[in-house]
């Protein structure tokens, strides 16, 4: 809760309703005189999120976040509370299963290490790696994992080499497809006695005697399908199946958290329109590149490119057309620069490109290639063709500047000269002296 001091639980009001109906509550405005929350905080509560902590269909607790401000919460905060509530439920479930199940100490230790390791993992690839590595150690089988995305399923882990990797994976008519359709694990103790295909025909699975497939869901989203093949039949008992499901449940939450973290990180570092790095990240990365250039005594060049007469595009065709132009120019930048180069949206219709290890002459060659590519491009706006040009300023460290501020200033001066001299040209700051 947001207030300081003791929290007194009354067991009534909103809290009791949330637990009884198993539904969350969110409000940006609470009238304390007329609304009973269910607890008394140290300060007044004007905004509240209440989220039941569920184990299956049973509420085992409730997570409440309050604030003394009106309208303190919105959808992102609600999603975060839901995520934390689900993780609490997983932890409670894990502890319950650990208490109930008495079995092999080595497997228990591995599962516990896995659970602890997930708490510190916020990177998507790391979570998947931990799930597969710890499952292989705990259950002595061959692991597979198919990632579910907007373009269908992708192979993340498969125990055998494939002659041909399919562009699209269709699980229709297979055990995995059945598990996905039913949203439930499927275990086959003896594949030889099983009539349905385990995997599509181009996946090699000869010699395996048993298999488990577990679809990983978070809320209503399918994250992927995890599974284990074994050369032995009946390689799992009911306790081990429960532990595999537990690992998958924990991994589902961590995968969803990692995806959310990645999306938040992407939104925080990239320009929403063009997909390039934003101005803040540009400043950070430029500082890092300057330190690297100084450490290894290599040149670093900076380009600032400005779309000529961009205001006329907005005035004539409207801002949606201007947005299309900005996105297309950004795409050209990404296509034309090298993998080591860093492109960013500097602001408005200006773009920046950092060129590590590139001297003034090399930077001019890259700038000219960018300029000519944009000039040759035909932009389609409202079913009409449009031609555009860019002006580019160039400066290089250490030849032209010794600090980040000086490098940006001189690059901007070169860009200003390019525009004053008639636009649609590249100008090195060194040429201004």
């Amino acid at each position: 809760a947001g207030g300081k001091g003791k929290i007194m639980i009354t067991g009534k009001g909103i809290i009791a309703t949330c637990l009884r109906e198993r539904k969350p509550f969110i409000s940006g405005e609470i009238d304390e005189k007329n609304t009973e929350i269910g607890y008394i905080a140290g300060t007044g509560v004007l905004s509240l999120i209440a989220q039941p902590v569920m184990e299956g269909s049973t509420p085992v607790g409730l997570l409440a976040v309050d604030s003394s401000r009106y309208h303190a919460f919105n959808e992102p905060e609600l999603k975060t509370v839901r995520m934390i509530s689900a993780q609490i439920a997983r932890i409670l479930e894990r502890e319950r299963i650990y208490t109930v199940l008495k079995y092999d100490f080595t497997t228990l230790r591995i599962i516990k290490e896995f659970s602890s390791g997930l708490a510190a993992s916020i990177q998507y690839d790391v979570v998947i790696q931990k799930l597969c590595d710890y499952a292989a150690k705990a259950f002595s089988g061959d692991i597979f994992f198919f990632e579910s995305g907007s373009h269908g399923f992708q192979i993340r882990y498969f125990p055998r080499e494939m002659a041909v990797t399919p562009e699209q994976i269709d699980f229709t008519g297979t055990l995995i497809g059945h598990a996905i359709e039913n949203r439930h694990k499927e275990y086959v103790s003896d594949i030889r006695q099983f009539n349905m295909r385990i995997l599509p025909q181009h996946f090699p699975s000869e010699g395996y005697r048993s298999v488990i497939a577990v679809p990983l869901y978070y809320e209503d989203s399918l994250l992927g399908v995890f599974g284990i093949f074994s050369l032995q039949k009946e390689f799992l008992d009911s306790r081990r199946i429960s532990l595999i499901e537990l690992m998958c449940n924990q991994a589902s939450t961590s995968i969803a958290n990692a995806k959310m973290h990645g999306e938040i990180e992407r939104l925080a570092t990239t320009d929403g329109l063009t997909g390039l790095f934003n101005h803040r990240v540009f400043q950070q990365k430029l500082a890092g590149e300057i330190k690297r250039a100084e450490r290894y005594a290599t040149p670093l060049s900076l380009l600032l490119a400005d779309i000529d007469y961009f205001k006329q595009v907005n005035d004539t065709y409207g801002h949606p057309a201007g947005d299309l132009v900005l996105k297309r120019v950004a795409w050209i930048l990404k296509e034309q620069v090298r993998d080591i180069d860093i492109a960013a949206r500097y602001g408005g219709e200006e773009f920046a490109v950092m060129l590590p290890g590139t001297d003034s002459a090399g930077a001019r060659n890259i700038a000219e290639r960018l300029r000519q590519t944009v000039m040759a491009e035909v932009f389609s706006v409202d079913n009409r063709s449009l031609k555009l040009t860019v002006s580019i300023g160039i400066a290089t460290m250490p030849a032209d500047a010794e600090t980040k501020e000086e490098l940006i200033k001189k690059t901007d001066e070169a860009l200003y000269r390019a525009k004053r001299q008639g636009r649609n040209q590249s100008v090195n700051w060194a040429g201004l002296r």
Side-chain angles (χ1 to χ4, degrees), residues 266-279 330 344-345 351:
R266 186 190 68 80
L267 292 174
T269 59
T270 60
D271 172 61
L273 177 65
T274 64
L276 299 177
F277 287 120
N278 58 31
H279 185 90
R345 186 178 181 189
F351 299 89

Side-chain angles (χ1 to χ4, degrees), residues 15-128:
I15 300 301
T17 301
C18 287
L19 288 172
R20 183 174 62 254
E21 297 182 357
R22 299 171 174 79
K23 293 180 179 179
F25 173 88
I26 180 170
S27 174
E29 184 173 347
I30 291 178
D31 182 353
E32 289 188 289
K33 295 181 179 179
N34 300 318
T35 304
E36 184 167 359
I37 298 174
Y39 63 86
I40 301 171
T43 60
V45 176
L46 299 180
S47 298
L48 175 69
I49 298 176
Q51 174 68 45
V53 178
M54 305 292 294
E55 259 192 45
S57 60
T58 304
V60 294
L62 185 134
L63 180 62
V65 181
D66 62 46
S67 174
S68 58
R69 295 183 293 112
Y70 284 121
H71 304 291
F73 308 121
N74 51 35
E75 187 62 24
E77 284 79 13
L78 179 58
K79 287 183 178 178
T80 301
V81 171
R82 286 174 176 165
M83 176 184 70
I84 296 171
S85 172
Q87 185 66 12
I88 292 172
R90 302 302 183 205
I91 292 170
L92 294 175
E93 182 184 22
R94 180 191 66 191
E95 296 302 321
R96 178 178 59 80
I97 292 180
Y98 283 167
T99 302
V100 173
L101 298 179
K102 305 275 186 188
Y103 86 150
D104 179 73
F105 174 77
T106 301
T107 301
L108 179 61
R109 177 178 55 80
I110 293 171
I111 301 297
K112 191 171 184 179
E113 287 176 3
F114 166 75
S115 301
S116 301
L118 282 187
S121 302
I122 58 173
Q123 298 298 323
Y124 177 79
D125 290 341
V126 173
V127 174
I128 300 296

Side-chain angles (χ1 to χ4, degrees), residues 92-253:
L92 294 175
E93 182 184 22
R94 180 191 66 191
E95 296 302 321
R96 178 178 59 80
I97 292 180
Y98 283 167
T99 302
V100 173
L101 298 179
K102 305 275 186 188
Y103 86 150
D104 179 73
F105 174 77
T106 301
T107 301
L108 179 61
R109 177 178 55 80
I110 293 171
I111 301 297
K112 191 171 184 179
E113 287 176 3
F114 166 75
S115 301
S116 301
L118 282 187
S121 302
I122 58 173
Q123 298 298 323
Y124 177 79
D125 290 341
V126 173
V127 174
I128 300 296
Q129 186 74 52
K130 285 183 181 292
L131 172 62
C132 295
D133 288 349
Y134 278 96
K137 287 197 298 183
F139 303 105
S140 302
D142 290 346
I143 308 299
F144 62 85
F145 185 83
F146 296 100
E147 175 185 77
S148 176
S150 57
H151 300 293
F153 289 94
Q154 301 292 324
I155 304 171
R156 288 301 298 261
Y157 281 87
F158 197 73
R160 295 181 177 179
E161 291 187 7
M162 299 181 58
V164 177
T165 302
E167 294 184 5
Q168 293 185 337
I169 303 174
D170 184 5
F171 289 123
T172 302
T174 67
L175 176 76
I176 291 180
H178 194 61
I180 294 169
E181 183 179 348
N182 292 331
R183 300 169 66 102
H184 191 267
K185 63 101 177 37
E186 295 290 343
Y187 173 56
V188 176
S189 60
D190 189 353
I191 292 176
R192 294 179 185 177
Q193 305 299 319
F194 191 67
N195 294 325
M196 182 183 292
R197 292 189 63 88
I198 306 299
L199 293 163
Q201 59 183 3
H202 36 263
F203 286 87
S205 58
E206 296 80 8
Y208 289 126
R209 291 297 305 273
S210 51
V211 63
I212 186 170
V214 185
L216 273 61
Y217 279 90
Y218 182 78
E219 295 181 348
D220 290 328
S221 297
L222 176 63
L223 305 175
V225 181
F226 169 84
I228 307 175
F229 277 115
S230 176
L231 297 173
Q232 300 177 349
K233 69 176 183 178
E234 300 176 355
F235 85 113
L236 295 174
D237 57 21
S238 60
R239 295 178 303 177
R240 291 186 169 233
I241 291 174
S242 295
L243 281 170
I244 290 174
E245 288 187 285
L246 172 62
M247 290 183 73
C248 289
N249 286 338
Q250 292 176 330
S252 295
T253 302

